[in-house]
């Protein structure tokens, strides 16, 4: 598996898309810190971009890579190679290439201008979101044979998590505002990895007041040791559960 993963990773790192992605992140992050006089404002601008752009890039790039590698996957399956090993190698190759682009593109400027706990929280949250949405993209790609349908599902997934989910949460909270919703709010936050990433970074930046009346609740829970373990555990579930379903479908799929 390591040999196959290394081959896929090397092949992806040579692609112009990944190089362009790393260059875009570098210019964006470096430019924000140079243009803004206040480092906190630059981080806040970067936060909004990370929560929208990074999941979209991970979803779309992974989906296109999977469909473009279909002939390679069929060739590998004609060899005495286990299907789970092949999909794991594909996942690790794609995820590691996106993580390298993220750490080089955004990591270098962040370490230059914000080498503290907040900068580290940005890097770790961006890494977690990359792994999560790469995993989700593999699930949607494996479940759909048609490329256009797979890309459509990917874009719908991004639209739901990035834009639609927050609106649904606000409707639920407003509709049941007469009832105690504190614990249910924590459950709702766990159902969206982007929300978990946003909460983790905003608590590190000490701007929880921007999260409204739930800010104090988030600060009390997610700022504590059990809250950090809870966030880490939920994000790991978001990585491994979609990937487990993708592996299950891939083993049964008639290629």
């Amino acid at each position: 598996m390591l040999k196959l993963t290394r081959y896929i990773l090397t092949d992806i790192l040579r692609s112009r898309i990944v190089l362009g992605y790393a260059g875009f992140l570098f210019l964006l992050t470096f430019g924000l810190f140079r243009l803004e006089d206040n480092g906190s404002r630059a981080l806040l601008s970067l936060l909004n971009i990370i929560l929208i752009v990074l999941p979209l890039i991970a979803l779309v790039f992974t989906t296109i890579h999977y469909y473009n590698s279909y002939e390679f996957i069929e060739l590998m399956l004609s060899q005495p190679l286990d299907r789970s090993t092949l999909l794991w190698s594909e996942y690790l190759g794609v995820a590691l290439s996106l993580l390298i682009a993220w750490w080089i593109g955004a990591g270098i400027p962040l370490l230059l201008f914000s080498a503290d706990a907040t900068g580290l929280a940005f890097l770790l949250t961006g890494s977690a979101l990359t792994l999560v949405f790469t995993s989700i993209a593999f699930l949607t790609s494996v479940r759909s044979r048609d490329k256009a349908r797979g890309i459509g599902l990917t874009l719908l997934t991004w639209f739901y998590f990035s834009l639609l989910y927050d609106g649904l949460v606000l409707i639920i909270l407003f509709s049941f505002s007469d009832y105690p919703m504190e614990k249910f709010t924590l459950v709702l936050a766990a159902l969206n990895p982007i929300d978990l990433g946003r909460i983790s970074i905003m608590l590190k930046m000490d701007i929880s007041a921007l999260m409204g009346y739930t800010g104090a609740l988030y600060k009390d829970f997610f700022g504590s040791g059990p809250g950090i373990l809870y966030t880490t555990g939920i994000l790991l579930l978001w990585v491994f559960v979609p990937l487990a379903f993708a592996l299950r479908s891939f083993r049964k799929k008639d290629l």
Side-chain angles (χ1 to χ4, degrees):
M1 188 173 82
L2 290 177
K3 187 176 180 181
L4 186 57
T5 302
R6 188 168 58 248
Y7 172 77
I8 297 170
L9 175 63
T10 306
D11 184 57
I12 296 175
L13 286 178
R14 286 200 296 260
S15 73
R16 294 180 181 178
I17 296 177
V18 173
L19 295 175
Y21 176 50
F24 165 74
L25 288 173
F26 182 83
L27 291 175
L28 176 70
T29 311
F30 194 83
L32 284 174
F33 278 108
R34 295 296 294 176
L35 291 173
E36 295 284 357
D37 296 332
N38 190 327
S40 297
R41 292 172 62 183
L43 288 172
L44 197 57
S45 301
L46 183 62
L47 169 64
N48 294 321
I49 294 170
I50 286 174
L51 296 177
I52 295 175
V53 174
L54 197 146
L56 178 63
I57 295 293
L59 285 168
V60 173
F61 179 79
T62 303
T63 305
I64 293 176
H65 168 80
Y66 177 82
Y67 287 109
N68 289 344
S69 304
Y70 216 79
E71 293 181 357
F72 173 75
I73 291 173
E74 289 179 330
L75 176 64
M76 287 295 102
L77 289 179
S78 66
Q79 309 297 320
L81 183 66
D82 182 64
R83 288 193 174 203
S84 298
T85 302
L86 176 58
L87 196 67
W88 265 111
S89 300
E90 285 283 348
Y91 174 78
L92 290 174
V94 175
L96 288 175
S97 64
L98 291 175
L99 284 178
I100 290 171
W102 163 248
W103 277 83
I104 292 177
I108 293 174
L110 277 170
L111 293 177
L112 284 175
F113 294 100
S114 180
D116 52 17
T118 304
L120 184 61
F122 266 81
L123 288 176
L124 293 179
T125 302
S127 302
L129 291 179
T130 297
L131 294 175
V132 167
F133 284 96
T134 301
S135 180
I136 293 174
F138 266 98
L139 175 60
T140 58
S141 302
V142 170
R143 296 294 294 271
S144 178
R145 181 183 289 273
D146 183 68
K147 184 176 182 179
R149 186 181 177 188
I151 294 175
L153 286 174
T154 294
L155 294 177
L156 282 176
T157 303
W158 173 80
F159 182 76
Y160 171 74
F161 283 119
S162 298
L163 304 174
L164 186 61
Y165 187 82
D166 286 343
L168 294 175
V169 170
L170 286 175
I171 292 173
I172 293 173
L173 294 179
F174 181 77
S175 301
F176 297 94
S177 58
D178 294 333
Y179 300 93
M181 297 289 289
E182 288 79 6
K183 292 183 179 179
F184 188 61
T185 303
L186 298 178
V187 175
L188 291 176
L191 296 178
N192 186 351
I194 293 179
D195 270 359
L196 283 177
R198 180 188 293 114
I199 293 168
S200 301
I201 291 179
M202 292 182 82
L203 289 180
K204 281 294 179 185
M205 296 176 69
D206 201 20
I207 51 175
S208 56
L210 296 179
M211 291 184 281
Y213 75 94
T214 56
L217 171 67
Y218 288 156
K219 189 173 184 179
D220 288 340
F221 180 74
F222 289 107
S224 64
I228 294 172
L229 290 176
Y230 173 80
T231 304
T232 305
I234 294 296
L235 287 175
L236 287 175
L237 285 177
W238 271 109
V239 173
F240 288 107
V241 170
L243 193 57
F245 280 107
L247 285 167
R248 182 182 176 187
S249 297
F250 190 69
R251 283 195 293 265
K252 297 179 179 179
K253 192 170 185 178
D254 182 19
L255 295 171

